[in-house]
Amino acid sequence: MAMQLMTPRWRKIHALVVVIAALSVQACAPTRPPVEDLDNASRALGAARSAGAPAYAPAEYRAAGQRFDQAQAAEGRQDYDEAIQLAHESAADSELAAAKARLGKAREAVQKLSQENANLDRDLTEHASPEAQP
C-alpha cells in the first residue's frame, strides 16, 4: 500500500527529470551554421557598396564590414549564435549605409537642380528685353 502512494510522486519526479534533461540537451545542442544569414549580410553589404555607401556613409559602411568580418570569424569558431547576431547587425548597418547613400545622392541632385534653376533665373533676368522690364 505504501508503494502505491509513492508511485504517482515517482512518476512526477521522473517526468520532471526527463523534461529538465531534454531542455538541457536542447540548450547545449549546436545552432545551425549561419550560412543563409551570412549570405544575406554579404548581399546587403554589396548593395550598400553599389549604392555609394563608401562615399556617402563611410562610418556605417565600415561598421557593416567589420561586423561581417566578425560574423565570419565567429562562424569559424563555430560560435553560431554570435555569428548569426553579428550577421544581422552587419545587414542592418549595410541597409542604413545604403539609405544614407541614397539620401546623399538625392541631396546632391536637389542641389544641382537648385543651382541650374538659379542659373536660368539669372540668365532670364540678364537677357530680358528692355520693353519687357517695367
Side-chain angles (χ1 to χ4, degrees):
M1 188 167 204
M3 187 63 144
Q4 288 176 345
L5 292 176
M6 294 183 71
T7 303
R9 284 186 187 167
W10 182 82
R11 286 184 185 157
K12 288 179 184 177
I13 291 172
H14 179 62
L16 181 61
V17 169
V18 169
V19 169
I20 290 172
L23 290 175
S24 297
V25 168
Q26 185 180 11
C28 296
T31 306
R32 63 173 173 73
V35 175
E36 186 177 322
D37 300 291
L38 287 171
D39 286 346
N40 290 340
S42 177
R43 280 192 296 276
L45 198 56
R49 183 177 40 256
S50 295
Y56 292 97
E60 291 81 2
Y61 181 71
R62 193 171 31 257
Q66 289 171 345
R67 284 196 174 83
F68 182 73
D69 292 343
Q70 292 169 350
Q72 288 181 315
E75 181 192 30
R77 294 189 311 270
Q78 294 182 351
D79 188 351
Y80 299 141
D81 290 332
E82 182 178 0
I84 289 169
Q85 180 63 35
L86 288 165
H88 290 178
E89 290 176 13
S90 173
D93 286 341
S94 294
E95 290 172 15
L96 175 60
K100 282 190 165 187
R102 288 189 298 272
L103 176 63
K105 287 180 178 181
R107 285 182 176 161
E108 281 184 355
V110 167
Q111 181 65 30
K112 182 179 176 184
L113 290 173
S114 293
Q115 185 61 45
E116 288 175 6
N117 283 343
N119 291 342
L120 287 172
D121 282 345
R122 188 184 67 243
D123 289 348
L124 285 173
T125 303
E126 290 174 0
H127 294 82
S129 62
E131 55 270 347
Q133 293 179 351

